[in-house]
Amino acid sequence: NTLFHNVTFSHVVFSHVNFINCEFYESEFSNLKSSRTYFENSTIHDSRFIDTDLTEQHFLNCRMSNNTFL
């Protein structure tokens, strides 16, 4: 239940992290590795995912719009 606005997660390893009911706006995830990390019932809007291992299976029941995956 946290709002992340214009936050950058860079050169990070997420291990066993669950973002539940969170909101991400204009945020960036770059050079990120994850293990058992999930976004659940969250909103992700105008965000960028660059060089991450996050795939569809990591986003459970999320509302996503205008995001970029590189």
Side-chain angles (χ1 to χ4, degrees), residues 8-44:
T8 300
F9 299 94
S10 182
H11 301 282
V12 177
V13 175
F14 284 152
S15 181
H16 294 81
V17 178
N18 288 324
F19 293 102
I20 301 172
N21 297 319
C22 293
E23 298 181 41
F24 296 87
Y25 291 95
E26 299 174 348
S27 296
E28 182 172 297
F29 300 82
S30 64
N31 297 310
L32 183 139
K33 301 296 179 208
S34 65
S35 174
R36 297 182 189 219
T37 295
Y38 297 96
F39 298 79
E40 297 181 47
N41 301 316
S42 296
T43 299
I44 305 165

PDB file of all heavy atoms in Angstrom, residues 8-44:
ATOM      1  N   THR A   8      13.655   5.538  -8.737  1.00  0.00           N
ATOM      2  CA  THR A   8      14.523   4.696  -9.556  1.00  0.00           C
ATOM      3  C   THR A   8      15.080   3.557  -8.713  1.00  0.00           C
ATOM      4  O   THR A   8      15.645   3.789  -7.647  1.00  0.00           O
ATOM      5  CB  THR A   8      15.690   5.518 -10.140  1.00  0.00           C
ATOM      6  OG1 THR A   8      15.163   6.561 -10.957  1.00  0.00           O
ATOM      7  CG2 THR A   8      16.624   4.635 -10.943  1.00  0.00           C
ATOM      8  N   PHE A   9      14.899   2.344  -9.222  1.00  0.00           N
ATOM      9  CA  PHE A   9      15.505   1.154  -8.626  1.00  0.00           C
ATOM     10  C   PHE A   9      16.589   0.725  -9.611  1.00  0.00           C
ATOM     11  O   PHE A   9      16.272   0.257 -10.701  1.00  0.00           O
ATOM     12  CB  PHE A   9      14.486   0.030  -8.475  1.00  0.00           C
ATOM     13  CG  PHE A   9      13.315   0.366  -7.586  1.00  0.00           C
ATOM     14  CD1 PHE A   9      12.140   0.854  -8.131  1.00  0.00           C
ATOM     15  CD2 PHE A   9      13.397   0.173  -6.219  1.00  0.00           C
ATOM     16  CE1 PHE A   9      11.057   1.142  -7.319  1.00  0.00           C
ATOM     17  CE2 PHE A   9      12.320   0.460  -5.403  1.00  0.00           C
ATOM     18  CZ  PHE A   9      11.151   0.954  -5.952  1.00  0.00           C
ATOM     19  N   SER A  10      17.845   0.908  -9.250  1.00  0.00           N
ATOM     20  CA  SER A  10      18.922   0.637 -10.191  1.00  0.00           C
ATOM     21  C   SER A  10      20.014  -0.211  -9.532  1.00  0.00           C
ATOM     22  O   SER A  10      20.376   0.027  -8.373  1.00  0.00           O
ATOM     23  CB  SER A  10      19.511   1.961 -10.669  1.00  0.00           C
ATOM     24  OG  SER A  10      20.525   1.755 -11.601  1.00  0.00           O
ATOM     25  N   HIS A  11      20.513  -1.202 -10.295  1.00  0.00           N
ATOM     26  CA  HIS A  11      21.567  -2.098  -9.808  1.00  0.00           C
ATOM     27  C   HIS A  11      21.164  -2.712  -8.469  1.00  0.00           C
ATOM     28  O   HIS A  11      21.890  -2.621  -7.468  1.00  0.00           O
ATOM     29  CB  HIS A  11      22.904  -1.363  -9.683  1.00  0.00           C
ATOM     30  CG  HIS A  11      23.372  -0.776 -10.969  1.00  0.00           C
ATOM     31  ND1 HIS A  11      23.957  -1.546 -11.936  1.00  0.00           N
ATOM     32  CD2 HIS A  11      23.306   0.477 -11.457  1.00  0.00           C
ATOM     33  CE1 HIS A  11      24.244  -0.786 -12.979  1.00  0.00           C
ATOM     34  NE2 HIS A  11      23.855   0.444 -12.711  1.00  0.00           N
ATOM     35  N   VAL A  12      20.002  -3.351  -8.484  1.00  0.00           N
ATOM     36  CA  VAL A  12      19.428  -3.907  -7.262  1.00  0.00           C
ATOM     37  C   VAL A  12      19.112  -5.384  -7.479  1.00  0.00           C
ATOM     38  O   VAL A  12      18.781  -5.807  -8.584  1.00  0.00           O
ATOM     39  CB  VAL A  12      18.128  -3.166  -6.893  1.00  0.00           C
ATOM     40  CG1 VAL A  12      17.476  -3.760  -5.668  1.00  0.00           C
ATOM     41  CG2 VAL A  12      18.387  -1.691  -6.681  1.00  0.00           C
ATOM     42  N   VAL A  13      19.189  -6.148  -6.406  1.00  0.00           N
ATOM     43  CA  VAL A  13      18.716  -7.526  -6.414  1.00  0.00           C
ATOM     44  C   VAL A  13      17.527  -7.590  -5.460  1.00  0.00           C
ATOM     45  O   VAL A  13      17.663  -7.283  -4.278  1.00  0.00           O
ATOM     46  CB  VAL A  13      19.807  -8.512  -5.963  1.00  0.00           C
ATOM     47  CG1 VAL A  13      19.244  -9.917  -5.859  1.00  0.00           C
ATOM     48  CG2 VAL A  13      20.995  -8.466  -6.894  1.00  0.00           C
ATOM     49  N   PHE A  14      16.356  -7.930  -6.004  1.00  0.00           N
ATOM     50  CA  PHE A  14      15.168  -8.129  -5.180  1.00  0.00           C
ATOM     51  C   PHE A  14      15.038  -9.620  -4.911  1.00  0.00           C
ATOM     52  O   PHE A  14      14.946 -10.404  -5.838  1.00  0.00           O
ATOM     53  CB  PHE A  14      13.895  -7.682  -5.903  1.00  0.00           C
ATOM     54  CG  PHE A  14      13.678  -6.199  -5.965  1.00  0.00           C
ATOM     55  CD1 PHE A  14      12.964  -5.654  -7.015  1.00  0.00           C
ATOM     56  CD2 PHE A  14      14.142  -5.360  -4.981  1.00  0.00           C
ATOM     57  CE1 PHE A  14      12.726  -4.298  -7.075  1.00  0.00           C
ATOM     58  CE2 PHE A  14      13.909  -4.000  -5.033  1.00  0.00           C
ATOM     59  CZ  PHE A  14      13.204  -3.470  -6.084  1.00  0.00           C
ATOM     60  N   SER A  15      15.041  -9.999  -3.653  1.00  0.00           N
ATOM     61  CA  SER A  15      14.877 -11.391  -3.300  1.00  0.00           C
ATOM     62  C   SER A  15      13.726 -11.522  -2.312  1.00  0.00           C
ATOM     63  O   SER A  15      13.758 -10.932  -1.226  1.00  0.00           O
ATOM     64  CB  SER A  15      16.171 -11.924  -2.678  1.00  0.00           C
ATOM     65  OG  SER A  15      16.027 -13.278  -2.349  1.00  0.00           O
ATOM     66  N   HIS A  16      12.709 -12.269  -2.715  1.00  0.00           N
ATOM     67  CA  HIS A  16      11.522 -12.493  -1.891  1.00  0.00           C
ATOM     68  C   HIS A  16      10.844 -11.176  -1.513  1.00  0.00           C
ATOM     69  O   HIS A  16      10.569 -10.910  -0.348  1.00  0.00           O
ATOM     70  CB  HIS A  16      11.868 -13.290  -0.630  1.00  0.00           C
ATOM     71  CG  HIS A  16      12.317 -14.685  -0.924  1.00  0.00           C
ATOM     72  ND1 HIS A  16      13.604 -14.978  -1.305  1.00  0.00           N
ATOM     73  CD2 HIS A  16      11.647 -15.853  -0.915  1.00  0.00           C
ATOM     74  CE1 HIS A  16      13.717 -16.279  -1.492  1.00  0.00           C
ATOM     75  NE2 HIS A  16      12.535 -16.831  -1.272  1.00  0.00           N
ATOM     76  N   VAL A  17      10.591 -10.355  -2.525  1.00  0.00           N
ATOM     77  CA  VAL A  17       9.918  -9.076  -2.300  1.00  0.00           C
ATOM     78  C   VAL A  17       8.528  -9.152  -2.924  1.00  0.00           C
ATOM     79  O   VAL A  17       8.372  -9.574  -4.070  1.00  0.00           O
ATOM     80  CB  VAL A  17      10.706  -7.913  -2.942  1.00  0.00           C
ATOM     81  CG1 VAL A  17       9.969  -6.593  -2.743  1.00  0.00           C
ATOM     82  CG2 VAL A  17      12.100  -7.839  -2.355  1.00  0.00           C
ATOM     83  N   ASN A  18       7.520  -8.735  -2.184  1.00  0.00           N
ATOM     84  CA  ASN A  18       6.155  -8.645  -2.702  1.00  0.00           C
ATOM     85  C   ASN A  18       5.672  -7.217  -2.574  1.00  0.00           C
ATOM     86  O   ASN A  18       5.626  -6.672  -1.474  1.00  0.00           O
ATOM     87  CB  ASN A  18       5.196  -9.563  -1.932  1.00  0.00           C
ATOM     88  CG  ASN A  18       5.434 -11.012  -2.249  1.00  0.00           C
ATOM     89  OD1 ASN A  18       5.749 -11.365  -3.382  1.00  0.00           O
ATOM     90  ND2 ASN A  18       5.299 -11.849  -1.261  1.00  0.00           N
ATOM     91  N   PHE A  19       5.344  -6.615  -3.716  1.00  0.00           N
ATOM     92  CA  PHE A  19       4.732  -5.300  -3.734  1.00  0.00           C
ATOM     93  C   PHE A  19       3.232  -5.537  -3.864  1.00  0.00           C
ATOM     94  O   PHE A  19       2.756  -5.941  -4.919  1.00  0.00           O
ATOM     95  CB  PHE A  19       5.229  -4.488  -4.927  1.00  0.00           C
ATOM     96  CG  PHE A  19       6.688  -4.122  -4.853  1.00  0.00           C
ATOM     97  CD1 PHE A  19       7.629  -4.819  -5.601  1.00  0.00           C
ATOM     98  CD2 PHE A  19       7.113  -3.080  -4.048  1.00  0.00           C
ATOM     99  CE1 PHE A  19       8.974  -4.478  -5.552  1.00  0.00           C
ATOM    100  CE2 PHE A  19       8.456  -2.734  -3.983  1.00  0.00           C
ATOM    101  CZ  PHE A  19       9.389  -3.434  -4.737  1.00  0.00           C
ATOM    102  N   ILE A  20       2.490  -5.314  -2.801  1.00  0.00           N
ATOM    103  CA  ILE A  20       1.062  -5.600  -2.796  1.00  0.00           C
ATOM    104  C   ILE A  20       0.290  -4.293  -2.660  1.00  0.00           C
ATOM    105  O   ILE A  20       0.554  -3.504  -1.744  1.00  0.00           O
ATOM    106  CB  ILE A  20       0.700  -6.573  -1.654  1.00  0.00           C
ATOM    107  CG1 ILE A  20       1.489  -7.870  -1.821  1.00  0.00           C
ATOM    108  CG2 ILE A  20      -0.792  -6.843  -1.621  1.00  0.00           C
ATOM    109  CD1 ILE A  20       1.364  -8.829  -0.664  1.00  0.00           C
ATOM    110  N   ASN A  21      -0.657  -4.069  -3.586  1.00  0.00           N
ATOM    111  CA  ASN A  21      -1.485  -2.859  -3.590  1.00  0.00           C
ATOM    112  C   ASN A  21      -0.637  -1.588  -3.626  1.00  0.00           C
ATOM    113  O   ASN A  21      -0.919  -0.620  -2.926  1.00  0.00           O
ATOM    114  CB  ASN A  21      -2.423  -2.819  -2.376  1.00  0.00           C
ATOM    115  CG  ASN A  21      -3.406  -3.949  -2.383  1.00  0.00           C
ATOM    116  OD1 ASN A  21      -3.954  -4.312  -3.420  1.00  0.00           O
ATOM    117  ND2 ASN A  21      -3.625  -4.533  -1.225  1.00  0.00           N
ATOM    118  N   CYS A  22       0.389  -1.590  -4.429  1.00  0.00           N
ATOM    119  CA  CYS A  22       1.266  -0.425  -4.557  1.00  0.00           C
ATOM    120  C   CYS A  22       0.968   0.315  -5.854  1.00  0.00           C
ATOM    121  O   CYS A  22       0.369  -0.233  -6.779  1.00  0.00           O
ATOM    122  CB  CYS A  22       2.725  -0.866  -4.550  1.00  0.00           C
ATOM    123  SG  CYS A  22       3.248  -1.551  -2.978  1.00  0.00           S
ATOM    124  N   GLU A  23       1.418   1.552  -5.912  1.00  0.00           N
ATOM    125  CA  GLU A  23       1.277   2.361  -7.116  1.00  0.00           C
ATOM    126  C   GLU A  23       2.654   2.862  -7.521  1.00  0.00           C
ATOM    127  O   GLU A  23       3.381   3.421  -6.703  1.00  0.00           O
ATOM    128  CB  GLU A  23       0.346   3.543  -6.854  1.00  0.00           C
ATOM    129  CG  GLU A  23      -1.053   3.106  -6.492  1.00  0.00           C
ATOM    130  CD  GLU A  23      -1.966   4.293  -6.262  1.00  0.00           C
ATOM    131  OE1 GLU A  23      -1.894   5.276  -7.022  1.00  0.00           O
ATOM    132  OE2 GLU A  23      -2.734   4.232  -5.302  1.00  0.00           O
ATOM    133  N   PHE A  24       2.987   2.641  -8.798  1.00  0.00           N
ATOM    134  CA  PHE A  24       4.254   3.105  -9.357  1.00  0.00           C
ATOM    135  C   PHE A  24       3.928   4.044 -10.508  1.00  0.00           C
ATOM    136  O   PHE A  24       3.270   3.639 -11.471  1.00  0.00           O
ATOM    137  CB  PHE A  24       5.066   1.924  -9.912  1.00  0.00           C
ATOM    138  CG  PHE A  24       5.481   0.930  -8.869  1.00  0.00           C
ATOM    139  CD1 PHE A  24       4.629  -0.113  -8.517  1.00  0.00           C
ATOM    140  CD2 PHE A  24       6.716   1.017  -8.254  1.00  0.00           C
ATOM    141  CE1 PHE A  24       5.005  -1.046  -7.565  1.00  0.00           C
ATOM    142  CE2 PHE A  24       7.101   0.083  -7.301  1.00  0.00           C
ATOM    143  CZ  PHE A  24       6.241  -0.948  -6.955  1.00  0.00           C
ATOM    144  N   TYR A  25       4.378   5.278 -10.407  1.00  0.00           N
ATOM    145  CA  TYR A  25       4.160   6.273 -11.457  1.00  0.00           C
ATOM    146  C   TYR A  25       5.493   6.889 -11.846  1.00  0.00           C
ATOM    147  O   TYR A  25       6.256   7.320 -10.981  1.00  0.00           O
ATOM    148  CB  TYR A  25       3.210   7.384 -10.990  1.00  0.00           C
ATOM    149  CG  TYR A  25       1.806   6.907 -10.795  1.00  0.00           C
ATOM    150  CD1 TYR A  25       1.351   6.520  -9.547  1.00  0.00           C
ATOM    151  CD2 TYR A  25       0.939   6.798 -11.877  1.00  0.00           C
ATOM    152  CE1 TYR A  25       0.065   6.055  -9.362  1.00  0.00           C
ATOM    153  CE2 TYR A  25      -0.346   6.328 -11.705  1.00  0.00           C
ATOM    154  CZ  TYR A  25      -0.779   5.965 -10.448  1.00  0.00           C
ATOM    155  OH  TYR A  25      -2.053   5.494 -10.274  1.00  0.00           O
ATOM    156  N   GLU A  26       5.761   6.880 -13.161  1.00  0.00           N
ATOM    157  CA  GLU A  26       6.980   7.486 -13.693  1.00  0.00           C
ATOM    158  C   GLU A  26       8.223   6.980 -12.961  1.00  0.00           C
ATOM    159  O   GLU A  26       9.119   7.745 -12.621  1.00  0.00           O
ATOM    160  CB  GLU A  26       6.890   9.013 -13.631  1.00  0.00           C
ATOM    161  CG  GLU A  26       5.737   9.551 -14.444  1.00  0.00           C
ATOM    162  CD  GLU A  26       5.531  11.044 -14.294  1.00  0.00           C
ATOM    163  OE1 GLU A  26       6.131  11.657 -13.379  1.00  0.00           O
ATOM    164  OE2 GLU A  26       4.754  11.607 -15.077  1.00  0.00           O
ATOM    165  N   SER A  27       8.274   5.695 -12.721  1.00  0.00           N
ATOM    166  CA  SER A  27       9.405   5.088 -12.024  1.00  0.00           C
ATOM    167  C   SER A  27      10.261   4.307 -13.003  1.00  0.00           C
ATOM    168  O   SER A  27       9.823   3.990 -14.111  1.00  0.00           O
ATOM    169  CB  SER A  27       8.902   4.167 -10.907  1.00  0.00           C
ATOM    170  OG  SER A  27       8.227   4.923  -9.931  1.00  0.00           O
ATOM    171  N   GLU A  28      11.468   4.007 -12.595  1.00  0.00           N
ATOM    172  CA  GLU A  28      12.372   3.263 -13.463  1.00  0.00           C
ATOM    173  C   GLU A  28      12.997   2.102 -12.705  1.00  0.00           C
ATOM    174  O   GLU A  28      13.433   2.250 -11.562  1.00  0.00           O
ATOM    175  CB  GLU A  28      13.473   4.177 -13.997  1.00  0.00           C
ATOM    176  CG  GLU A  28      14.411   3.460 -14.944  1.00  0.00           C
ATOM    177  CD  GLU A  28      15.374   4.412 -15.607  1.00  0.00           C
ATOM    178  OE1 GLU A  28      14.918   5.303 -16.349  1.00  0.00           O
ATOM    179  OE2 GLU A  28      16.584   4.261 -15.359  1.00  0.00           O
ATOM    180  N   PHE A  29      13.037   0.956 -13.380  1.00  0.00           N
ATOM    181  CA  PHE A  29      13.687  -0.248 -12.868  1.00  0.00           C
ATOM    182  C   PHE A  29      14.793  -0.566 -13.871  1.00  0.00           C
ATOM    183  O   PHE A  29      14.502  -0.894 -15.020  1.00  0.00           O
ATOM    184  CB  PHE A  29      12.698  -1.402 -12.816  1.00  0.00           C
ATOM    185  CG  PHE A  29      11.501  -1.151 -11.929  1.00  0.00           C
ATOM    186  CD1 PHE A  29      10.417  -0.424 -12.392  1.00  0.00           C
ATOM    187  CD2 PHE A  29      11.469  -1.660 -10.645  1.00  0.00           C
ATOM    188  CE1 PHE A  29       9.314  -0.201 -11.582  1.00  0.00           C
ATOM    189  CE2 PHE A  29      10.374  -1.444  -9.831  1.00  0.00           C
ATOM    190  CZ  PHE A  29       9.295  -0.703 -10.301  1.00  0.00           C
ATOM    191  N   SER A  30      16.047  -0.469 -13.441  1.00  0.00           N
ATOM    192  CA  SER A  30      17.128  -0.737 -14.388  1.00  0.00           C
ATOM    193  C   SER A  30      18.204  -1.614 -13.750  1.00  0.00           C
ATOM    194  O   SER A  30      18.493  -1.496 -12.557  1.00  0.00           O
ATOM    195  CB  SER A  30      17.742   0.565 -14.898  1.00  0.00           C
ATOM    196  OG  SER A  30      18.347   1.275 -13.869  1.00  0.00           O
ATOM    197  N   ASN A  31      18.748  -2.505 -14.572  1.00  0.00           N
ATOM    198  CA  ASN A  31      19.771  -3.443 -14.112  1.00  0.00           C
ATOM    199  C   ASN A  31      19.336  -4.129 -12.829  1.00  0.00           C
ATOM    200  O   ASN A  31      20.040  -4.134 -11.826  1.00  0.00           O
ATOM    201  CB  ASN A  31      21.111  -2.727 -13.911  1.00  0.00           C
ATOM    202  CG  ASN A  31      21.643  -2.171 -15.191  1.00  0.00           C
ATOM    203  OD1 ASN A  31      21.714  -2.863 -16.202  1.00  0.00           O
ATOM    204  ND2 ASN A  31      21.986  -0.900 -15.173  1.00  0.00           N
ATOM    205  N   LEU A  32      18.171  -4.702 -12.901  1.00  0.00           N
ATOM    206  CA  LEU A  32      17.557  -5.319 -11.728  1.00  0.00           C
ATOM    207  C   LEU A  32      17.442  -6.826 -11.924  1.00  0.00           C
ATOM    208  O   LEU A  32      17.067  -7.286 -13.001  1.00  0.00           O
ATOM    209  CB  LEU A  32      16.167  -4.709 -11.542  1.00  0.00           C
ATOM    210  CG  LEU A  32      15.385  -5.154 -10.342  1.00  0.00           C
ATOM    211  CD1 LEU A  32      14.689  -3.949  -9.743  1.00  0.00           C
ATOM    212  CD2 LEU A  32      14.364  -6.186 -10.747  1.00  0.00           C
ATOM    213  N   LYS A  33      17.784  -7.568 -10.903  1.00  0.00           N
ATOM    214  CA  LYS A  33      17.607  -9.019 -10.892  1.00  0.00           C
ATOM    215  C   LYS A  33      16.635  -9.361  -9.782  1.00  0.00           C
ATOM    216  O   LYS A  33      16.632  -8.728  -8.726  1.00  0.00           O
ATOM    217  CB  LYS A  33      18.942  -9.736 -10.640  1.00  0.00           C
ATOM    218  CG  LYS A  33      20.001  -9.438 -11.659  1.00  0.00           C
ATOM    219  CD  LYS A  33      19.607  -9.926 -13.025  1.00  0.00           C
ATOM    220  CE  LYS A  33      20.698  -9.590 -14.024  1.00  0.00           C
ATOM    221  NZ  LYS A  33      20.190  -9.427 -15.358  1.00  0.00           N
ATOM    222  N   SER A  34      15.825 -10.383 -10.021  1.00  0.00           N
ATOM    223  CA  SER A  34      14.821 -10.708  -9.010  1.00  0.00           C
ATOM    224  C   SER A  34      14.740 -12.216  -8.788  1.00  0.00           C
ATOM    225  O   SER A  34      15.026 -13.011  -9.675  1.00  0.00           O
ATOM    226  CB  SER A  34      13.454 -10.187  -9.436  1.00  0.00           C
ATOM    227  OG  SER A  34      13.034 -10.866 -10.591  1.00  0.00           O
ATOM    228  N   SER A  35      14.355 -12.548  -7.579  1.00  0.00           N
ATOM    229  CA  SER A  35      14.110 -13.930  -7.222  1.00  0.00           C
ATOM    230  C   SER A  35      12.889 -13.961  -6.316  1.00  0.00           C
ATOM    231  O   SER A  35      12.892 -13.342  -5.245  1.00  0.00           O
ATOM    232  CB  SER A  35      15.332 -14.505  -6.492  1.00  0.00           C
ATOM    233  OG  SER A  35      15.045 -15.796  -6.018  1.00  0.00           O
ATOM    234  N   ARG A  36      11.850 -14.645  -6.769  1.00  0.00           N
ATOM    235  CA  ARG A  36      10.602 -14.731  -6.007  1.00  0.00           C
ATOM    236  C   ARG A  36      10.077 -13.352  -5.618  1.00  0.00           C
ATOM    237  O   ARG A  36       9.730 -13.086  -4.471  1.00  0.00           O
ATOM    238  CB  ARG A  36      10.782 -15.614  -4.789  1.00  0.00           C
ATOM    239  CG  ARG A  36      11.119 -17.032  -5.197  1.00  0.00           C
ATOM    240  CD  ARG A  36      11.250 -17.926  -4.027  1.00  0.00           C
ATOM    241  NE  ARG A  36      11.790 -19.190  -4.513  1.00  0.00           N
ATOM    242  CZ  ARG A  36      11.410 -20.350  -4.067  1.00  0.00           C
ATOM    243  NH1 ARG A  36      10.512 -20.437  -3.139  1.00  0.00           N
ATOM    244  NH2 ARG A  36      11.944 -21.439  -4.551  1.00  0.00           N
ATOM    245  N   THR A  37      10.054 -12.470  -6.608  1.00  0.00           N
ATOM    246  CA  THR A  37       9.547 -11.110  -6.421  1.00  0.00           C
ATOM    247  C   THR A  37       8.301 -10.943  -7.260  1.00  0.00           C
ATOM    248  O   THR A  37       8.284 -11.320  -8.437  1.00  0.00           O
ATOM    249  CB  THR A  37      10.618 -10.092  -6.843  1.00  0.00           C
ATOM    250  OG1 THR A  37      11.720 -10.228  -5.954  1.00  0.00           O
ATOM    251  CG2 THR A  37      10.093  -8.671  -6.791  1.00  0.00           C
ATOM    252  N   TYR A  38       7.249 -10.367  -6.647  1.00  0.00           N
ATOM    253  CA  TYR A  38       5.980 -10.217  -7.350  1.00  0.00           C
ATOM    254  C   TYR A  38       5.343  -8.869  -7.061  1.00  0.00           C
ATOM    255  O   TYR A  38       5.506  -8.307  -5.972  1.00  0.00           O
ATOM    256  CB  TYR A  38       5.010 -11.332  -6.942  1.00  0.00           C
ATOM    257  CG  TYR A  38       5.517 -12.690  -7.318  1.00  0.00           C
ATOM    258  CD1 TYR A  38       6.191 -13.485  -6.402  1.00  0.00           C
ATOM    259  CD2 TYR A  38       5.359 -13.169  -8.619  1.00  0.00           C
ATOM    260  CE1 TYR A  38       6.683 -14.722  -6.761  1.00  0.00           C
ATOM    261  CE2 TYR A  38       5.854 -14.404  -8.984  1.00  0.00           C
ATOM    262  CZ  TYR A  38       6.519 -15.185  -8.051  1.00  0.00           C
ATOM    263  OH  TYR A  38       7.017 -16.394  -8.419  1.00  0.00           O
ATOM    264  N   PHE A  39       4.632  -8.384  -8.054  1.00  0.00           N
ATOM    265  CA  PHE A  39       3.798  -7.194  -7.919  1.00  0.00           C
ATOM    266  C   PHE A  39       2.363  -7.707  -7.948  1.00  0.00           C
ATOM    267  O   PHE A  39       1.964  -8.351  -8.927  1.00  0.00           O
ATOM    268  CB  PHE A  39       4.021  -6.247  -9.102  1.00  0.00           C
ATOM    269  CG  PHE A  39       5.432  -5.736  -9.201  1.00  0.00           C
ATOM    270  CD1 PHE A  39       6.446  -6.528  -9.748  1.00  0.00           C
ATOM    271  CD2 PHE A  39       5.750  -4.467  -8.767  1.00  0.00           C
ATOM    272  CE1 PHE A  39       7.736  -6.050  -9.858  1.00  0.00           C
ATOM    273  CE2 PHE A  39       7.053  -3.983  -8.869  1.00  0.00           C
ATOM    274  CZ  PHE A  39       8.035  -4.781  -9.414  1.00  0.00           C
ATOM    275  N   GLU A  40       1.611  -7.448  -6.901  1.00  0.00           N
ATOM    276  CA  GLU A  40       0.238  -7.963  -6.824  1.00  0.00           C
ATOM    277  C   GLU A  40      -0.752  -6.822  -6.609  1.00  0.00           C
ATOM    278  O   GLU A  40      -0.538  -5.953  -5.765  1.00  0.00           O
ATOM    279  CB  GLU A  40       0.098  -8.941  -5.662  1.00  0.00           C
ATOM    280  CG  GLU A  40       0.948 -10.182  -5.804  1.00  0.00           C
ATOM    281  CD  GLU A  40       0.762 -11.130  -4.631  1.00  0.00           C
ATOM    282  OE1 GLU A  40      -0.382 -11.393  -4.249  1.00  0.00           O
ATOM    283  OE2 GLU A  40       1.784 -11.585  -4.095  1.00  0.00           O
ATOM    284  N   ASN A  41      -1.827  -6.859  -7.399  1.00  0.00           N
ATOM    285  CA  ASN A  41      -2.898  -5.862  -7.269  1.00  0.00           C
ATOM    286  C   ASN A  41      -2.345  -4.437  -7.238  1.00  0.00           C
ATOM    287  O   ASN A  41      -2.774  -3.602  -6.459  1.00  0.00           O
ATOM    288  CB  ASN A  41      -3.743  -6.124  -6.021  1.00  0.00           C
ATOM    289  CG  ASN A  41      -4.370  -7.488  -6.039  1.00  0.00           C
ATOM    290  OD1 ASN A  41      -4.906  -7.934  -7.050  1.00  0.00           O
ATOM    291  ND2 ASN A  41      -4.282  -8.179  -4.930  1.00  0.00           N
ATOM    292  N   SER A  42      -1.355  -4.184  -8.083  1.00  0.00           N
ATOM    293  CA  SER A  42      -0.690  -2.885  -8.104  1.00  0.00           C
ATOM    294  C   SER A  42      -0.983  -2.149  -9.407  1.00  0.00           C
ATOM    295  O   SER A  42      -1.417  -2.746 -10.388  1.00  0.00           O
ATOM    296  CB  SER A  42       0.815  -3.071  -7.951  1.00  0.00           C
ATOM    297  OG  SER A  42       1.109  -3.625  -6.687  1.00  0.00           O
ATOM    298  N   THR A  43      -0.714  -0.859  -9.393  1.00  0.00           N
ATOM    299  CA  THR A  43      -0.849  -0.023 -10.580  1.00  0.00           C
ATOM    300  C   THR A  43       0.539   0.436 -10.988  1.00  0.00           C
ATOM    301  O   THR A  43       1.290   0.962 -10.160  1.00  0.00           O
ATOM    302  CB  THR A  43      -1.737   1.203 -10.286  1.00  0.00           C
ATOM    303  OG1 THR A  43      -3.030   0.749  -9.911  1.00  0.00           O
ATOM    304  CG2 THR A  43      -1.817   2.106 -11.489  1.00  0.00           C
ATOM    305  N   ILE A  44       0.858   0.235 -12.267  1.00  0.00           N
ATOM    306  CA  ILE A  44       2.158   0.647 -12.778  1.00  0.00           C
ATOM    307  C   ILE A  44       1.904   1.458 -14.040  1.00  0.00           C
ATOM    308  O   ILE A  44       1.362   0.951 -15.022  1.00  0.00           O
ATOM    309  CB  ILE A  44       3.049  -0.577 -13.080  1.00  0.00           C
ATOM    310  CG1 ILE A  44       3.155  -1.438 -11.828  1.00  0.00           C
ATOM    311  CG2 ILE A  44       4.423  -0.128 -13.558  1.00  0.00           C
ATOM    312  CD1 ILE A  44       3.690  -2.819 -12.041  1.00  0.00           C
TER     313      ILE A  44
END
